[in-house]
Amino acid sequence: MIGGRGRGSNLMSLVQEFENDPDIRATLVIAPSEGAPALEWARSQGLATAVISPKPTESYAERLASILGEVNWICLAGYLNLLPAEIIRAFPNRILNIHPALLPKFGGKGMYGLHVHEAVIAAGETRSGCSVHFVTEAYDEGEILAQTSCPVLPNDSPATLAARVLRLEHRLYPEALRIAIERSQS
Ligand code: GRF
């Protein structure tokens, strides 16, 4: 599931990582609005896509549930809304999110995009990174499954730090998905 203005770089890295994997296949990309640039890319890759607006919330859960029919795992990649509780209950420990900081620090409502990196720099952190966690009904609070870190350099701007962290994200997310799947099978 990607964001409304999503670049989709994590989506792309996940799809590419599992392209030749016999067991894991990306099948469906969901965006909250037609404007997501990554939707075009997904369509060009032959992936099914769906645009489901989070409003109004009552029908949102039903529409999501019906389209997620055959899906086993959900990866949030830039998706900013909270998922309906019904969906979280229907996929116990099968919904992952990637966050561009070392949770539990710098997470929660409003902590997305450059806001995260601004806060990390303002706090004087010397390391940042990214976290993949299970999704619950609260922002960025589920169990952390995997993390990796990088330095925050003295002359970093939010944008330079974001770029360094994003490179880590592209490696961590596929790895974390494999870990989650293996854990679910043991
Ligand atoms: C990433 O930084 C991710 O950590 C956050 O949203 C951003 C999505 O970027 N949850 P992209 O659309 O995958 O390029």
Side-chain angles (χ1 to χ4, degrees):
M1 294 182 73
I2 58 175
R5 284 184 293 239
R7 272 179 307 217
S9 69
N10 278 289
L11 163 72
M12 293 171 194
S13 82
L14 282 167
V15 170
Q16 283 158 1
E17 170 79 18
F18 297 116
E19 229 159 27
N20 299 314
D21 190 301
D23 300 319
I24 304 172
R25 195 159 55 91
T27 54
L28 172 65
V29 178
I30 300 176
S33 63
E34 195 50 61
L39 274 178
E40 272 316 303
W41 179 85
R43 288 175 186 138
S44 76
Q45 301 300 301
L47 294 168
T49 59
V51 173
I52 305 184
S53 165
K55 296 170 201 147
T57 41
E58 317 83 63
S59 65
Y60 182 48
E62 280 172 27
R63 289 162 66 216
L64 270 181
S66 73
I67 199 143
L68 287 168
E70 303 285 301
V71 164
N72 290 313
W73 290 85
I74 303 172
C75 294
L76 306 187
Y79 181 80
L80 289 180
N81 299 85
L82 283 177
L83 282 176
E86 297 94 306
I87 299 296
I88 291 170
R89 280 197 296 270
F91 290 86
N93 286 339
R94 282 172 183 267
I95 310 176
L96 304 179
N97 181 44
I98 186 151
H99 185 76
L102 296 173
L103 292 173
K105 289 170 101 173
F106 307 106
K109 195 168 165 49
M111 277 292 172
Y112 63 90
L114 288 182
H115 300 299
V116 178
H117 307 291
E118 276 159 16
V120 168
I121 291 170
E125 299 287 327
T126 54
R127 293 199 75 79
S128 190
C130 52
S131 310
V132 174
H133 65 94
F134 288 110
V135 170
T136 64
E137 290 173 43
Y139 280 112
D140 303 326
E141 282 189 8
E143 182 197 341
I144 296 165
L145 186 62
Q147 280 184 319
T148 184
S149 74
C150 62
V152 178
L153 301 178
N155 57 351
D156 261 335
S157 67
T160 59
L161 179 56
R164 189 174 309 116
V165 170
L166 191 64
R167 285 195 292 275
L168 296 182
E169 292 184 40
H170 297 157
R171 290 211 308 270
L172 186 71
Y173 212 171
E175 196 180 306
L177 178 58
R178 284 190 200 282
I179 293 171
I181 292 172
E182 273 166 29
R183 236 170 79 163
S184 76
Q185 290 167 342
S186 64

